[in-house]
Amino acid sequence: MDRRNFLVAGTALATTALSMPLFGNSAKANPPLRGKFASDMFEYLDSVSEAPNLVFQNEAGGYVSVSDYKGRIIVATIWATWCGVCKQEMPTINKAAGRYSSSQVVFMPISIDSKRSKIRRYYNARGLNNLDVFHDPERMSLSFFGARGTPTTFIIDQNGNFRGRFEGPAGWDSADARALIDYLVKRL
């Protein structure tokens, strides 16, 4: 897919995605929600809505989409190398990614930096060796996922539906995050 088709597909998707409600009623939560995940920073969604099938650039400049990971839990974090809070959050995502099989859980750090080359340099400088490069130079993920800032993390279930949203640093290597992810993995 070339850049022009990528942008055309993204524009069509945006029109569709923005006409649908992003999240349903989340009054009833079943998973173990503790610590930060029991706060107003996290919203677990019992009533699901389909996540947009966004397309991102990988490290080689090719394209991958959310649907490429269907059948797995996706923990998608929108971040940037210039985001101060992300400097604390990214090592926790890296540790969590090392705990799970990529056949069950995919940690998808989606960088909104302007240049893809910055991402790998950032990873290398911080020893983030469990993470793949997902690049969104057009910053479409911000509007499609309804993110208000960085970092914002969305949990997408094995069927491609939104299951949760966390605004701010979550600490993905914590026991509380592990309990939530383990709960979702058991439902695969």
Side-chain angles (χ1 to χ4, degrees), residues 43-65:
E43 177 183 18
Y44 180 78
L45 307 168
D46 277 335
S47 176
V48 297
S49 60
E50 189 173 349
N53 187 29
L54 291 179
V55 177
F56 307 104
Q57 291 179 346
N58 61 19
E59 188 162 9
Y63 294 93
V64 295
S65 69

Side-chain angles (χ1 to χ4, degrees), residues 59 81 115-127 133:
E59 188 162 9
T81 59
K115 295 185 180 180
R116 190 174 59 249
S117 60
K118 290 181 178 182
I119 304 165
R120 181 51 62 192
R121 281 196 307 267
Y122 184 94
Y123 285 3
N124 289 342
R126 289 164 180 79
V133 169

Side-chain angles (χ1 to χ4, degrees), residues 6 52-58 64-66 69 74-83 86 90 93 106-113 119 123 131-142 144-145 147 149-156 162:
F6 174 70
N53 187 29
L54 291 179
V55 177
F56 307 104
Q57 291 179 346
N58 61 19
V64 295
S65 69
V66 169
Y69 300 95
I74 299 171
V75 181
T77 302
I78 300 170
W79 74 287
T81 59
W82 44 261
C83 165
C86 297
M90 293 304 289
I93 295 170
V106 175
F107 286 84
M108 183 182 283
I110 304 164
S111 171
I112 58 171
D113 282 284
I119 304 165
Y123 285 3
L131 302 177
D132 290 326
V133 169
F134 297 92
H135 187 220
D136 178 15
E138 306 297 331
R139 299 181 177 190
M140 291 190 292
S141 56
L142 289 169
F144 289 139
F145 285 167
T150 58
T152 300
T153 301
F154 296 88
I155 298 175
I156 301 169
F162 281 115

